[in-house]
Amino acid sequence: MTASDQNRFQVELRGLIDLLSQHLYSGPHVFVRELLQNGVDAIQARRQIEPQHEGLIEIEVITSAESDPTIIFQDNGVGLTEDEVHQFLATIGQSSKRGEMTSRPEDFLGQFGIGLLSCFTVSDEIVVLTRSAKGDNQPGIEWRGSTDGTYSVRKLTQAIPVGTQIFLQPSTGYEDYFEPQKVLKLAREYGSLLQPKITVTSNGQTDVVNAKAPWHQDTTNPQVRENLLAYGTEVFERNFLDVFPLHSTSGGVTGVAYVLSEAVHAGSRQPHRVYLKDMLLSTKTHEVLPEWAFFVQCVVNASQLRPTASRESFYEDTVLERTRQELGDCLRRYLVEMAQTQPRRFEQLIAVHHLAVKALAVDDDECLELFADWLPFQTSLGTMTLAEFRKQNSVIRYVPSCDQFRQIAQVAASESLAVINAGYVYDVDILTRLSMIRSDFKLEEFDAEQLSDRFEQLSQSEREETLEFERLADMTLQRFKCAVEIAKFLPSDLPSLYVTDANADFIRSVEQAQDVTEGVWNDMLGDLTRDVPSSYARLYLNYSNPLIKRICQLGQSDGQRRSVEMVYIQALLLGHFPLKKSEVKLLNEGLLGLLDWAVGGQDNE
C-alpha cells in the first residue's frame, strides 16, 4: 500500500442503530416524529414546485390476528427520483434538505440526514415506495433497507401517486409501538400543531390529529384565556393562576407562559413544552427562560433556534442566549404592567410568587423600585410587606441570618421591636440595594446585644440577692467562653437568651470543625482563629422567669451549677446552635448530675 492510497470508512449499521436508540434519541417512540418531519419537509419541497399544493400526511395502522401489525406512513410531498433514492436513502448522514433540492433550507424541519434510520429502532426492515413530482412520467421506485446493512432498489411497473409511502412492521419486543392508540397518541404529541392535515386510520376509524396552536390565540379575550388555562392544565397536569403571551425576535419565538398556582423554591427549574417550526421538540426543556423565571411554565414555538442532532433540545449559542433574555423581558413587562394597572391582582400573584419577584428585582433597579413595597418579609411582629413595615418604623432593622432571627424574635416581639428576618435568599441584597437607591430608606443591621439596652435592670436588693449566683454561673460557663448576666425581660416564660457577635460565632464554628478533624487539619483550623480578637458569647438569665428565680434562691451550689449548665444547653438549642462535642458531653453529664443531685436531696430529707 502506498502513501497515496485512499480508503473509505466502513459503517456497521446495527452498531449505529444501537447508538441512535440508546444515546442520541430518548426512546424508540421518536420514529413517529422523524417520519412526520420527513413528510412535512417533503410537502414544503413540493410547494416550491407547486405553490398552491395542499399537503396531506396519512398514517394507517393495519392489525390482524394472523400477522404482525403494519404501519403505513404516506405523504403527498415531492417524492424521490431513483438517483435521489440511492443518494439520500442509502447514504447515512446525507439529507435532501442540504442539497440543491431546495433553495430555502430554513423552511425545513430536518437537517441531519439520519431521520429514516430511527425506524430501525422499532423495525428490522423499512420499505419505501416513492414517486417524484419533478418532471413528467416519473416512475415509482421501491427501496427496501434492512438492519444488516443491505438494501435493494427497483422500479415499479404499477402507477403510484406522487409522494412517499413507508411500510414498517415491528421487531420482536417493539409491538407496543404499533398499537393504534399508541400511534395516535404519538402523532398527536408530535404533530398536532403542524400545518399539513394529518390523519391516523385504524379499524375503519379515522382521527384528525391537527389542533389550533396556543400561540395563535388572543390571550386578552376572556373566553380564549379560559380555554388556554384549561389547555395548560391538560398538558402540564397542574393548575395555573394566569396566562400571557411570549415573543422573541431573535429566536423567532412565539408562545404563552403560565403562572404557577403554587409557590416553588428558588432552585427549581420548570419543564417547558417547546416546538420547533410547529413540531414538538421536547416537553422537558429548561433553557428557554432565564433562571429567575422559575414561577412559570411555557408553551413556545421557535423558528430560528438550532436543534441538536437528537432534536430534543437547542444548541446553547448566542441566538438562544438573546432569545432567553427577550423572553425574560416579556415576563418583566407582564409583571410591571400588572403592578401598574391591576394592583389587586398583582398583590395576589406576589403573595404566591414573591420569591421569583425578588429574584428579578435584585438585579433590576427599575423593578426593585416598582415592586419593593409589595414584597413580604418575615418580622418579629409577624409577616408584613415592606410598605407596612416602613409605615410603622422609620428605621429598617434586620438580622442577616435565620439563626440570629430565631435568637431574638421572642424577646423583640415582647418588646414591640420590629426586626426583619433577612436570612432568606435575596433579602439582604434587596434591602442593601434599596438603601442605595432610596435616600429616605434608613437601613440598620440589628445586633442581638442591642436587646440588652431594653432589658429592665434589677433593683438594688435583687442585685444583692443574685450577686453570688451570677458569679457562680459566670464561672461555670467560663470554659465555654460564655459570660453570664442576670436581667429582667419579656416574655417571662423565656428563661434565658444566648447572644453572640461575629467573632464569637466564627470561633465557635472553627471549634465545631475541630471536633471532627485530627492532626494537621486540626492545627490548620486552630491557626484560623489566631488573629481573631477573643470574644465571649453572653447568656442572659431572665429574673422575670419563675424557674430562674428558684435556681437563684436554691441554697445548694452544686444544684445551681447543674441547673445553669442545663439552661445554657437549652438556650443553645432554642437558638438553633449546633452543639460542640464538649456541650454534648455536658448535656449527658448534666442530666445524670441533676438526677443524682435530686435523688441525693430526697435521701437527705
Side-chain angles (χ1 to χ4, degrees):
M1 180 180 294
T2 66
S4 62
D5 286 340
Q6 298 291 319
N7 296 281
R8 289 187 176 274
F9 287 104
Q10 300 297 311
V11 177
E12 203 283 305
L13 187 59
R14 173 51 65 186
L16 181 59
I17 293 168
D18 289 341
L19 179 66
L20 292 176
S21 62
Q22 297 181 32
H23 299 285
L24 182 63
Y25 295 133
S26 60
H29 57 273
V30 299
F31 82 96
V32 174
R33 182 192 69 194
E34 297 298 322
L35 291 178
L36 286 171
Q37 170 189 300
N38 287 347
V40 171
D41 288 343
I43 290 169
Q44 283 291 92
R46 186 168 179 180
R47 283 175 179 162
Q48 293 188 7
I49 302 171
E50 307 170 30
Q52 303 305 314
H53 176 66
E54 186 172 342
L56 176 64
I57 295 175
E58 298 172 289
I59 306 171
E60 184 177 2
V61 184
I62 301 173
T63 58
S64 170
E66 292 78 28
S67 61
D68 289 335
T70 300
I71 291 178
I72 304 173
F73 192 99
Q74 180 172 343
D75 68 70
N76 64 352
V78 72
L80 296 172
T81 65
E82 183 175 2
D83 288 342
E84 289 168 347
V85 165
H86 284 285
Q87 182 180 1
F88 299 129
L89 299 189
T91 305
I92 296 172
Q94 182 77 349
S95 173
S96 63
K97 297 99 176 181
R98 289 201 297 263
E100 297 177 356
M101 199 169 179
T102 173
S103 60
R104 295 187 298 161
E106 66 273 9
D107 289 346
F108 294 85
L109 290 167
Q111 56 180 298
F112 296 100
I114 56 176
L116 191 62
L117 286 181
S118 66
C119 295
F120 281 132
T121 63
V122 295
S123 182
D124 292 329
E125 183 182 54
I126 303 172
V127 178
V128 177
L129 304 183
T130 185
R131 179 184 165 204
S132 176
K134 295 186 292 184
D136 297 328
N137 301 318
Q138 288 284 356
I141 304 295
E142 178 191 85
W143 178 90
R144 288 178 178 267
S146 175
T147 54
D148 63 8
T150 62
Y151 75 93
S152 63
V153 178
R154 71 181 180 93
K155 290 183 180 179
L156 300 175
T157 56
Q158 71 273 29
I160 62 172
V162 171
T164 300
Q165 302 171 51
I166 298 172
F167 296 78
L168 302 173
Q169 287 191 311
S171 304
T172 302
Y174 291 90
E175 292 82 3
D176 289 351
Y177 291 96
F178 286 69
E179 292 181 359
Q181 288 304 310
K182 178 81 167 181
V183 174
L184 177 60
K185 180 181 178 181
L186 290 172
R188 282 178 171 160
E189 179 82 354
Y190 288 113
S192 63
L193 305 184
L194 291 170
Q195 294 305 309
K197 183 179 179 180
I198 302 171
T199 63
V200 176
T201 300
S202 181
N203 299 321
Q205 179 177 334
T206 298
D207 292 282
V208 177
V209 167
N210 308 80
K212 188 174 182 180
W215 46 83
H216 295 318
Q217 302 184 46
D218 179 13
T219 57
T220 61
N221 183 303
Q223 186 57 54
V224 170
R225 180 178 176 276
E226 290 302 315
N227 293 340
L228 283 174
L229 285 171
Y231 171 80
T233 299
E234 179 183 352
V235 298
F236 291 119
E237 298 182 341
R238 67 198 308 180
N239 294 322
F240 297 97
L241 289 177
D242 200 8
V243 58
F244 60 94
L246 293 175
H247 176 74
S248 165
T249 303
S250 294
V253 174
T254 56
V256 290
Y258 292 92
V259 181
L260 304 184
S261 62
E262 71 281 351
V264 291
H265 63 82
S268 64
R269 301 184 69 192
Q270 306 305 323
H272 306 297
R273 192 176 184 88
V274 178
Y275 292 77
L276 178 63
K277 299 174 185 176
D278 298 330
M279 170 78 81
L280 180 67
L281 185 84
S282 174
T283 60
K284 299 178 181 179
T285 297
H286 299 94
E287 66 266 22
V288 293
L289 294 182
E291 289 185 3
W292 59 263
F294 51 81
F295 68 107
V296 298
Q297 283 184 277
C298 67
V299 180
V300 295
N301 182 48
S303 61
Q304 303 298 324
L305 294 178
R306 183 185 176 196
T308 58
S310 68
R311 291 186 51 77
E312 294 176 0
S313 60
F314 293 119
Y315 274 106
E316 189 66 44
D317 56 16
T318 55
V319 178
L320 179 57
E321 185 177 347
R322 288 197 302 270
T323 298
R324 188 184 297 122
Q325 182 177 349
E326 290 173 8
L327 293 179
D329 290 341
C330 286
L331 268 67
R332 179 182 178 277
R333 286 193 296 272
Y334 163 76
L335 293 173
V336 169
E337 182 179 344
M338 184 185 295
Q340 292 174 336
T341 62
Q342 303 178 66
R344 188 176 297 277
R345 189 173 164 203
F346 183 71
E347 184 178 359
Q348 294 172 343
L349 183 145
I350 209 168
V352 179
H353 295 300
H354 56 86
L355 192 59
V357 176
K358 287 180 179 180
L360 168 62
V362 74
D363 292 318
D364 188 323
D365 285 355
E366 184 180 351
C367 285
L368 179 58
E369 185 68 48
L370 180 62
F371 300 152
D373 289 337
W374 301 84
L375 298 176
F377 290 88
Q378 182 185 21
T379 81
S380 54
L381 300 181
T383 299
M384 59 180 75
T385 66
L386 189 59
E388 292 169 337
F389 190 94
R390 294 188 68 200
K391 188 175 181 180
Q392 301 173 24
N393 303 274
S394 59
V395 177
I396 310 300
R397 297 182 179 89
Y398 75 98
V399 289
S401 78
C402 291
D403 285 340
Q404 288 174 282
F405 182 76
R406 294 187 191 102
Q407 294 170 41
I408 60 94
Q410 280 185 285
V411 178
S414 297
E415 297 289 341
S416 298
L417 178 65
V419 181
I420 288 177
N421 177 11
Y424 296 107
V425 63
Y426 308 124
D427 285 359
V428 170
D429 292 335
I430 282 177
L431 293 175
T432 303
R433 190 63 192 160
L434 280 170
S435 69
M436 298 171 66
I437 64 177
R438 287 185 176 180
S439 59
D440 62 339
F441 195 90
K442 298 179 181 179
L443 186 66
E444 177 185 296
E445 183 174 345
F446 187 76
D447 188 337
E449 281 285 359
Q450 292 175 256
L451 281 175
S452 63
D453 297 337
R454 295 172 172 265
F455 292 167
E456 180 185 348
Q457 297 301 311
L458 301 184
S459 66
Q460 183 63 33
S461 60
E462 289 171 334
R463 172 58 59 192
E464 292 173 357
E465 291 172 4
T466 60
L467 186 61
E468 287 301 319
F469 171 69
E470 185 178 78
R471 185 179 294 115
L472 180 144
D474 195 66
M475 292 295 294
T476 300
L477 299 183
Q478 278 292 312
R479 68 184 189 275
F480 300 106
K481 296 182 179 178
C482 179
V484 175
E485 185 174 331
I486 299 176
K488 291 180 178 179
F489 53 88
L490 298 175
S492 60
D493 59 355
L494 183 69
S496 62
L497 176 67
Y498 179 84
V499 297
T500 65
D501 60 18
N503 289 336
D505 263 341
F506 178 72
I507 293 171
R508 181 178 179 83
S509 65
V510 170
E511 290 174 346
Q512 285 175 303
Q514 287 180 305
D515 283 345
V516 294
T517 57
E518 296 179 353
V520 64
W521 293 110
N522 193 286
D523 295 337
M524 290 176 64
L525 287 169
D527 290 340
L528 293 176
T529 62
R530 185 169 299 168
D531 297 327
V532 178
S534 179
S535 181
Y536 271 48
R538 188 169 295 274
L539 182 69
Y540 289 97
L541 298 178
N542 187 4
Y543 201 64
S544 297
N545 180 266
L547 174 63
I548 297 299
K549 269 191 176 181
R550 288 199 299 271
I551 295 174
C552 287
Q553 296 165 1
L554 193 63
Q556 299 182 359
S557 59
D558 189 47
Q560 287 180 320
R561 187 178 298 106
R562 293 293 187 185
S563 298
V564 167
E565 290 172 346
M566 291 301 96
V567 170
Y568 168 71
I569 294 296
Q570 187 221 25
L572 290 175
L573 295 175
L574 284 176
H576 294 261
F577 289 95
L579 299 184
K580 296 184 291 185
K581 187 181 295 185
S582 59
E583 290 162 348
V584 173
K585 182 180 179 182
L586 176 66
L587 174 61
N588 295 329
E589 292 178 348
L591 289 173
L592 293 175
L594 279 175
L595 287 172
D596 181 64
W597 173 79
V599 172
Q602 293 293 332
D603 290 343
N604 291 335
E605 290 178 2

